[in-house]
Amino acid sequence: MTIYLQMLGTGDAFSTKYYNNNAVLQDYGYTLLIDCGVTAPQAIKALGKSFQEVTETLITHIHGDHIGGLAELAGTPSQEPHGKMTLLLAETLIEPLWQHPLLEPLHRKGGARSLADVFNVKPLKPDTPYTLSPSLTLELIRTPHMPGKASYSLLLNECVFYSADLTFQPELLLHLVHNRGITKILHDCQLSGRGQVHTTLRELLSLPEEIRKLIMLMHYSDEKPKFEGNTGEMEFLEQQVVYRLPDCRKDT
């Protein structure tokens, strides 16, 4: 069976041309929302869809362009008996997420005292594969972004690496390709300037050709048009376009 990826947006936190870098993964009868930023409610409506079509939502880390739409998601009626939208995230993110100012409106919702009062929370452990649907497996990989803040990239179906926001990690990318069999890398990309909390285009261009050929760029700025044709073997992911993802699971 085939998994399809559709980026709700591909922009960084400051983009005005592109929605926040959030994505939808679709299996037949199952929809995973990856991150739910400030622009996610508007972006999903632009696709003619709604949060009601989302089966589960996964949070990679706690920044506004990845969690800013959660208050609206929490208010979406769920088809599940518990009546709550399901949230997947690493255990280390649960309490910091609940305490984030963007979730303060939920603190006033029916006397809610924890994230579990407003969502059906499913904690995930890093480096542990989870089967989310018949055609989709997921594994969290902790990767560096902001000092002292937990952030998790994703391994999808054993061969697709979906980066959270992260600093340049060439050794990790080489390991994933050579030792884990990764055949596609969806990577955040700061197009210009010095990369203090993100990976820059210049850094990605320094990778071996065999790695660059696997990379598609996302989480970019409004400068994207002037960089088109100047990214080597790497292509830009485009928002709202549907992509078919490879499935390299050993049991398929």
Side-chain angles (χ1 to χ4, degrees), residues 70-83:
L70 284 178
E72 184 164 335
L73 180 69
T76 303
S78 169
Q79 305 300 320
E80 298 297 325
H82 46 66

Side-chain angles (χ1 to χ4, degrees), residues 117-135:
D117 288 332
V118 291
F119 288 104
N120 175 37
V121 177
K122 291 185 177 180
L124 304 181
K125 295 181 179 180
D127 307 313
T128 302
Y130 292 89
T131 299
L132 302 185
S133 75
S135 301

Side-chain angles (χ1 to χ4, degrees), residues 109-213:
K109 184 179 179 180
R113 296 185 178 182
S114 71
L115 197 64
D117 288 332
V118 291
F119 288 104
N120 175 37
V121 177
K122 291 185 177 180
L124 304 181
K125 295 181 179 180
D127 307 313
T128 302
Y130 292 89
T131 299
L132 302 185
S133 75
S135 301
L136 177 61
T137 61
L138 176 143
E139 179 180 331
L140 298 184
I141 301 174
R142 184 159 181 165
T143 48
H145 176 33
M146 297 286 289
K149 304 287 187 181
S151 182
Y152 298 88
S153 295
L154 313 176
L155 185 61
L156 304 171
N157 280 359
E158 301 182 14
C159 63
V160 178
F161 179 71
Y162 181 105
S163 85
D165 300 357
L166 78 164
T167 55
F168 190 40
Q169 302 296 309
E171 294 83 4
L172 173 63
L173 296 178
L174 288 167
H175 167 75
L176 289 171
V177 172
H178 294 156
N179 302 109
R180 297 292 302 268
I182 293 298
T183 61
K184 180 69 69 177
I185 298 170
L186 312 178
H187 208 293
D188 88 317
C189 180
Q190 180 178 314
L191 294 175
S192 61
R194 181 182 176 187
Q196 296 181 320
V197 295
H198 293 280
T199 301
T200 67
L201 175 59
R202 178 177 295 182
E203 289 170 327
L204 290 172
L205 285 169
S206 73
L207 291 166
E209 180 182 351
E210 62 166 330
I211 306 298
R212 297 196 304 265
K213 287 180 176 179

